[in-house]
Amino acid sequence: CIPINKTGKQSRNFPAMVETGFKSDNHMLMFPAGICSRRRDGVIRDVEWKKTFVVKSVEYQRDIVPIHFGGQNSDFFYKLANFSDKHLKFNLAMLFLVDEMYKNVHKTFRIAIGKPIPWQTFDKSKTAAQWAQWVKERVYEL
């Protein structure tokens, strides 16, 4: 587990923790968007995915296993997230994620696991950012 501080600065040893994680044989779970999905025009979907997971996949020759977690948060959460994104300098909705989790106690969620994507897939035909969006589309197809 590599903790990410979404409310302030990362610790000085954060880059070293990331490198150590990728160098290891341990499995890693990443949320490439960095924040919870947003509802835009009635559709719940991630914002643009960051390219880090693609860059590190190639650098450390690690395959990617796409996983899609189905589910959704409350209308309140999505409205607050959209308001926060437009009018505030911080993610106010993040403070309500624990409440959202408790609202879903005893509910069932669909988790789909796709076929591993070999790190060699990420060649020079696309930029790392374009590959990240390509993987995002594969995940949404699950």
Side-chain angles (χ1 to χ4, degrees):
C1 179
I2 301 170
I4 296 178
N5 185 349
K6 295 299 288 179
T7 60
K9 291 184 177 182
Q10 299 292 351
S11 67
R12 289 184 191 171
N13 62 347
F14 178 73
M17 290 188 322
V18 171
E19 294 303 313
T20 301
F22 276 98
K23 284 180 184 177
S24 76
D25 290 332
N26 296 324
H27 297 288
M28 298 178 63
L29 182 65
M30 293 187 73
F31 295 88
I35 59 173
C36 289
S37 298
R38 298 295 194 248
R39 184 172 53 206
R40 303 269 158 72
D41 299 322
V43 178
I44 299 169
R45 199 161 167 89
D46 282 351
V47 297
E48 184 176 335
W49 283 15
K50 309 294 187 244
K51 65 182 181 178
T52 304
F53 75 101
V54 171
V55 172
K56 297 301 182 186
S57 168
V58 172
E59 183 178 349
Y60 292 103
Q61 300 182 355
R62 296 186 66 152
D63 296 344
I64 292 174
V65 178
I67 302 174
H68 183 269
F69 291 85
Q72 67 181 54
N73 292 310
S74 67
D75 286 340
F76 169 78
F77 177 85
Y78 292 117
K79 288 176 184 175
L80 183 61
N82 286 337
F83 174 82
S84 181
D85 291 346
K86 291 177 185 173
H87 302 290
L88 303 175
K89 292 183 180 183
F90 63 97
N91 184 355
L92 180 62
M94 175 181 60
L95 299 175
F96 290 86
L97 283 175
V98 173
D99 289 339
E100 294 297 316
M101 181 182 69
Y102 280 112
K103 288 177 186 175
N104 288 296
V105 169
H106 303 299
K107 291 188 179 178
T108 302
F109 298 92
R110 180 181 179 274
I111 300 174
I113 302 172
K115 293 180 181 178
I117 301 170
W119 64 269
Q120 296 93 332
T121 302
F122 308 116
D123 59 19
K124 301 289 184 197
S125 66
K126 296 178 180 16
T127 66
Q130 289 170 328
W131 277 119
Q133 299 318 303
W134 181 86
V135 173
K136 177 182 175 182
E137 294 307 317
R138 302 298 77 76
V139 167
Y140 275 90
E141 290 172 359
L142 295 175

